[in-house]
Amino acid sequence: MAYLITTFDGVPLPLYDPEQDDSAAEALSTLLDSVGGTFDYYGTANRLPRKYGIEVSGIYVGETEYLVDDADNYIVDEAGNYIIAGTAVNRLRDQIQALRAKLGVRGTLTRIRQDDNVQQTITARLLQVRHDKRQQEMARLAKLTCLFESVQTAWQAASATTTTGNATDGVQMGLTVSNGGDVTVYDATLTIARTSGTITAITIVGSGISLAWTGSTTGTLTINCGAKTVRIGSTDSYNGFSLGSGHTSRGWLPLAPGITPLVVTVTGGNATVTIRHYNQFR
């Protein structure tokens, strides 16, 4: 098992004797039956998955918990007996109920890469908690299976990768973005923060990429390529945004695994240009 899914929305998942589906999200078929054969209507284009089902099974174990002091010494009563903070049955019930309380919740599902303990996350919804209950195990352990579903089809790094450059009025600036994941990122965020003058135009050009914005701002322009929004502060500025004739890529600012070189030109003033993205992994 390359990965271990550990928590959902802050609640530890059952990790004893784990059984987890480590499959990547499924891409739907692109084949259509036609007269005399079958037609692949996507051709050579990459068909991306649209949703991701994740299944996690494991066992919660109930263990008696004792009170301890700050030095982890057991606290005892007058007769020298350890003081119990919770019985095995109590603790088992607490674990089960904490997970069941998340049913239907959309939260962060976390996994660790087992060879180096690197953490990755995905936003998912808990659809079902199945409890395989056996009489002989009721007071000691519980085997549960959790079903999750996500609109995200890849796991993302726990922290963002930020690429920054300082653009001078009217001068082309090279910006090299490194994607250390194994999936093309389509939801990067581009910000242009004015440092002097009044910004009236911005262009971003790369291989198959041609973005432009015209307007007037002395603030910060934010282009969210995942949400498809363009704002100055909290004010919509989408009417100044356009895709150039040379834009042939899917999405606005796709960042393929490896290096994506871009050329940014800011007109009307100087600005700090920042591209923020999360490396993603199948």
Side-chain angles (χ1 to χ4, degrees), residues 129-158:
V129 179
R130 297 200 301 262
H131 186 177
D132 183 13
K133 209 169 186 180
R134 296 181 176 87
Q135 178 64 38
Q136 66 271 25
E137 299 172 348
M138 281 188 178
R140 297 179 298 157
L141 56 87
K143 183 173 183 179
L144 289 88
T145 299
C146 305
L147 301 181
F148 299 93
E149 188 175 55
S150 178
V151 70
Q152 294 178 320
T153 57
W155 297 77
Q156 66 179 26

Side-chain angles (χ1 to χ4, degrees), residues 39 75 84 93 160-161 198:
F39 174 68
I75 299 175
I84 295 175
R93 184 189 65 200
T161 297
T198 299

Side-chain angles (χ1 to χ4, degrees), residues 202-264:
I202 300 163
T203 62
I204 302 98
V205 179
S207 179
I209 298 170
S210 180
L211 311 179
W213 178 87
T214 57
S216 179
T217 179
T218 57
T220 299
L221 179 75
T222 301
I223 301 174
N224 188 319
C225 300
K228 300 294 191 294
T229 59
V230 182
R231 294 191 173 98
I232 298 173
S234 59
T235 303
D236 179 69
S237 189
Y238 186 85
N239 60 347
F241 178 79
S242 63
L243 300 178
S245 59
H247 191 89
T248 58
S249 295
R250 173 186 292 178
W252 287 3
L253 187 64
L255 304 174
I259 300 298
T260 299
L262 300 169
V263 176
V264 180

